[in-house]
Amino acid sequence: MKHLFTSIFLIIFMSSCEKEEPIKFEGRMDAEFVIPLGINTVETHYITVRDIPTFFLQNAENFKLDTSNIRNIQASKGSLKAKFNDAEFDFIERISVWAVSRSNPNLKREMYYLDFNPLDTREELRMLSSTSQLYEIIREQSIDLEIRLNLRRFPTSNIKTIIDFGYAVK
């Protein structure tokens, strides 16, 4: 009986494992925005960064990739850093970053999130990549970002921030 249970468990476990697709190329982008002084700890704050070029077609051409063969685009690494000073991002409790289509603003996909930012976060806030399918938005060549912030403390000044992010084509 014990061997039967083990065998069934292994069959189910092995059949649920999918082979991960190799990454064909990664597109990197960055954008600037300001986290303003005076935002509170009660509300969710929305910051929109507009018209960020993705260079999707140029990257696909550089890697000699036919875009009709692309099946999946997902977010790759993403982080926040202060542009000029050594601001610490431990005042942010929760963050979510959404890619927004420029041709259809109702088409939004989450790219990054962090449900609990560690209290010891310093000059760089690293976010987790979402598993959302981004192909419809990234192929537009230009996207908007919607950054949603919840704070645990007030920022002490305006913080000019750079978001470094990208997408992985599979």
Side-chain angles (χ1 to χ4, degrees):
M1 185 70 173
K2 183 177 179 182
H3 293 292
L4 178 64
F5 177 73
T6 304
S7 297
I8 292 172
F9 175 76
L10 284 174
I11 290 170
I12 292 171
F13 178 75
M14 296 302 278
S15 65
S16 67
C17 294
E18 291 183 25
K19 186 176 181 183
E20 185 157 332
E21 292 181 65
I23 295 174
K24 295 175 179 151
F25 73 86
E26 185 176 347
R28 300 298 307 161
M29 301 171 282
D30 62 42
E32 297 179 14
F33 65 96
V34 174
I35 299 174
L37 173 67
I39 58 177
N40 63 50
T41 59
V42 178
E43 300 172 293
T44 299
H45 301 281
Y46 294 81
I47 299 170
T48 302
V49 183
R50 300 210 182 275
D51 201 21
I52 302 165
T54 64
F55 304 108
F56 173 69
L57 290 177
Q58 294 91 329
N59 285 330
E61 189 175 301
N62 288 344
F63 286 91
K64 298 178 182 11
L65 187 63
D66 180 8
T67 57
S68 65
N69 294 331
I70 293 173
R71 292 182 291 183
N72 192 1
I73 298 178
Q74 292 182 324
S76 62
K77 295 182 277 187
S79 66
L80 298 181
K81 292 182 183 178
K83 182 173 182 178
F84 294 119
N85 52 4
D86 292 334
E88 296 182 355
F89 289 98
D90 58 346
F91 69 93
I92 296 173
E93 181 173 0
R94 181 175 293 129
I95 184 169
S96 177
V97 179
W98 293 69
V100 182
S101 168
R102 302 222 359 110
S103 63
N104 177 7
N106 293 323
L107 179 58
K108 298 178 182 184
R109 300 282 188 272
E110 186 177 49
M111 288 185 79
Y112 304 101
Y113 66 96
L114 195 56
D115 285 334
F116 180 79
N117 183 25
L119 295 171
D120 62 351
T121 299
R122 298 292 177 231
E123 293 86 22
E124 181 179 22
L125 188 150
R126 294 182 185 168
M127 298 173 286
L128 300 171
S129 298
S130 179
T131 59
S132 299
Q133 170 59 267
L134 301 171
Y135 180 74
E136 291 178 77
I137 298 172
I138 296 295
R139 70 182 175 152
E140 291 184 11
Q141 293 298 299
S142 179
I143 64 171
D144 293 340
L145 287 183
E146 181 179 277
I147 301 164
R148 301 172 185 184
L149 297 172
N150 293 95
L151 308 180
R152 63 172 57 106
R153 297 195 303 281
F154 303 106
T156 57
S157 65
N158 286 338
I159 301 173
K160 292 185 179 183
T161 306
I162 296 174
I163 180 169
D164 178 27
F165 67 108
Y167 56 91
V169 175
K170 297 181 178 184

